[in-house]
Amino acid sequence: MKRLATVLLILTALFSMMLCLNGCEPPISGPQGDGPDPQVPTVDIIKDGVTQYTVIRSEKSGNKSGDTQAAAKLRRLLKEATASNIEIMDDWEKDDESQNFEILVGRTNRPETALLPETLTREEFVIIFTGKKILIDGGSDLAIDRAVDYFLTTYLGYNVDDGSFAKSDLAIPEELNYRTTFKYPFVVYLINGSIKAIGSADRGGSNHNDIVRLISSLQGRMNKEVEKNEFYMYWNSDPQDKFWLDYISGKGKMLYGCAQEELTTWEEFWNVFGPFIKEAGIVAWDPNVPATANVAATVCSVDGYLPVRYSADQSSLYQWLIEQGVPVKLDLTNKFTGQGTIPDTTKQSTGSIKCDPYIWALEKYMDKCNTGMIAYVLDGASCVPGNYIYENGADPTPANNQLYSHDYYIYNECFFIDLTCVAEEAPCDDPDQPLGTDAETLHLILQTMQERNNGKMIKFMGFPPWYMKYTTHNNMGTILKPTELEWAFVEVISKYNCVKEADAAHPAWMTNASVYCQYESTVNSYVNNDPEESYVFDDKTRYFTIYMGDYDSSAWLKQHIPSFFRDPARGEEYPLMWGFNPNLSDRVPMIFDYVYENLGSDYIVTGDSGAGYVIPSALPELDTWTEFNMPYMDKFDLDIVGFIINGNNRMTKEIFEAYAKIAPVGSFHNDSSQKLTILNDETVYLHLMNGINPTDTSGKDEKGNPAPTVYEKMYDYAKNTGNNFSAYRTVVQSPGDVIACIENFIEFANAKDDGFTYVYVDPYTLFELALESGQGTHIYTE
């Protein structure tokens, strides 16, 4: 037995050595030594595929419980290793006399269960052999799983990495009684997206926004201190959350080996995080002044107090937290009136009850916030029942209210705003403010950010919430349509060297970025494709390509890549051009690993305007923008900008020259007056026809009236460019639909018999042929 104990001590040491530094590596990654001491008497459990044993699990355990899953895993691997027909059963049929040969996983109703320790810590497991019963138990779901791995590894030579076995017969020591601890890995707490009830009852569905705001804010703070806390907080609310969790939990990835514990109810969540919430305390925001919700988020970014909407309703989250003893550390209620002097400052009121809180936060918190990032996200108006925006905007769910995005912004200690750039009319959420106050406040905040950041590019996180505010959509404005507001807004922020990450509807929100941004790449280098086929320009051929956009938003990238990059239509015949803004790699770096690992024959170019969305002609100067782009372009092997958006402005020689440094091969752009431009006989600039829909094949508009099909639109554009080259922009369309469109358009256009043949090519070939053709307007640097 001493020799057995020595072996077991060695095995325990190996367990610990297999742990990675961040606590996420599985403790068993291969065979543990040579197995049991051959001189220790053993008992055959399975020999030559024959066994008397049955795997038993508790009838009371649910299908997703740890012991049930561990029992199923044990039985599956035992069958695989030994070729036996070992069965698995619940303990509903009793064995009070201990007559049966059984492997008991977890706590069953068998009398031998009394031999198990009354309590086990979450990092302990035990394996006991009574002569007939084998007991396997642990202090947590993970511990039981580790116990099964240990059992299989020790007595069958199971290799966790490759799933192989060194033995086909199972024998165990006749006096096996083993209890050990292992280093518990970091935990990923999976927050169920449907958590909306407080206590044992729902206590009012209106609490859902408040709960998500609280959890996302806490998530930003907690995930910033992972090494200290030894856990991550992760929303598990949709299939994409699951997809990316699985990806970054894969072998060698960031969360490999981490324990995952799902929290599906408010009670479960509170049991884990209640102490952290009590320690953090509350910053109460005023539902009568919804801008204070963003101010509260700014406070959370810096001081860590958690934003909670004040409510006197006893069923509210606020009152429930107070009942639990959570302290209010800062109260923003009844603080702002839009008159007199702004509280705690010497500043005169702006005359706007909406803007005064931002001026207060500018004075009190701006100097403590991130100098290079600002959060543009909806304030609390669409979270307050009875508020005009809540009642008349889009469906006011936590997603539409962009609450899931708060984790990343708080993680990065951002200053939060929600203001319109339109000075010509009062905003719908503050119609009584002096005309232009929103815009003035926006300019003041951006100017302050620019000065604090010494003129460097600022990451502007967000997008005008056109579906809720500020545009003609839903009669929330009278001047600008959604796209018009988009361009006007980007032009304003570009003047302050802000580069936008466009969380545009829909999805206008982003879950779990405070986890994703900590991902470290496992790709040695990112290598884009080069075209293999070489064409010779033929003036009787019209060449075209299609831009797969719009991915200037991390939320859109996260949402669509899982399905689009697994689309079986992707292949060698029609290599596709994907427009991904490389600055998104700061927020969702794992997506770029996944894309380059699965690139196939496709090509990557940038999305809107380069390494982020700007209006180039509005920038104070172009050198800073060029410098911002270069590291991203070099890292991801990019030399084409997929879509320069310059608003309603003309592309200029200065812009062409700047982009030749960023993308020396060429760029596509939105200036329809300049179809094809060649700079220095080296760099190609081609207009990108905006917004074709590959599925628009009916020949009818939305009202059923006759309308051109997508093929007719593409053909009419191609024949009127004045050259042999055309490019078309799609927006989040699947590869299958785009490739079908390519094939059908070629057939449609060639059937016109107009003297031209229509050929699809990749962007590199398109630009190479454009240079060879001698067509277009040629300009040169002086």
Side-chain angles (χ1 to χ4, degrees), residues 408-433:
Y408 184 68
Y409 304 153
I410 288 171
Y411 177 93
N412 282 286
E413 300 179 354
C414 284
F415 192 93
F416 282 65
I417 58 172
D418 173 9
L419 297 158
T420 182
C421 67
V422 180
E424 293 75 22
E425 70 174 341
C428 55
D429 58 346
D430 189 24
D432 297 327
Q433 71 172 226

Side-chain angles (χ1 to χ4, degrees), residues 2 38 68 111 113 278 289 294 316 357 372 400 406 446 489 494 496-497 598 647 650 667 669 768:
K2 287 183 179 179
T68 297
T113 298
K278 289 181 179 180
V289 187
N294 271 350
S316 67
N400 283 343
H406 282 54
L446 294 179
F489 194 88
S494 295
Y496 297 96
N497 273 346
N598 296 278
R650 290 287 304 270
S667 299
H669 61 80
E768 179 183 340

Side-chain angles (χ1 to χ4, degrees), residues 371 445-456 458 494-497 620:
T371 59
I445 291 171
L446 294 179
Q447 181 180 348
T448 305
M449 284 288 296
Q450 184 183 36
E451 292 170 354
R452 292 182 67 236
N453 205 38
N454 298 316
K456 297 177 182 178
I458 298 165
S494 295
K495 293 176 181 178
Y496 297 96
N497 273 346

Side-chain angles (χ1 to χ4, degrees), residues 609 614-619 622 625-626 644-647 649-663 667-671 674 679 683 685 779:
S609 297
V614 299
I615 301 291
S617 62
L619 292 167
L622 290 166
W625 174 237
T626 302
I644 303 172
I645 299 180
N646 203 32
N649 310 303
R650 290 287 304 270
M651 293 287 288
T652 65
K653 181 180 178 182
E654 291 73 22
I655 294 175
F656 288 142
E657 290 174 349
Y659 273 89
K661 299 174 185 176
I662 297 169
S667 299
F668 301 91
H669 61 80
N670 76 318
D671 182 357
Q674 302 181 69
L679 177 69
T683 306
Y685 295 92
I779 59 176

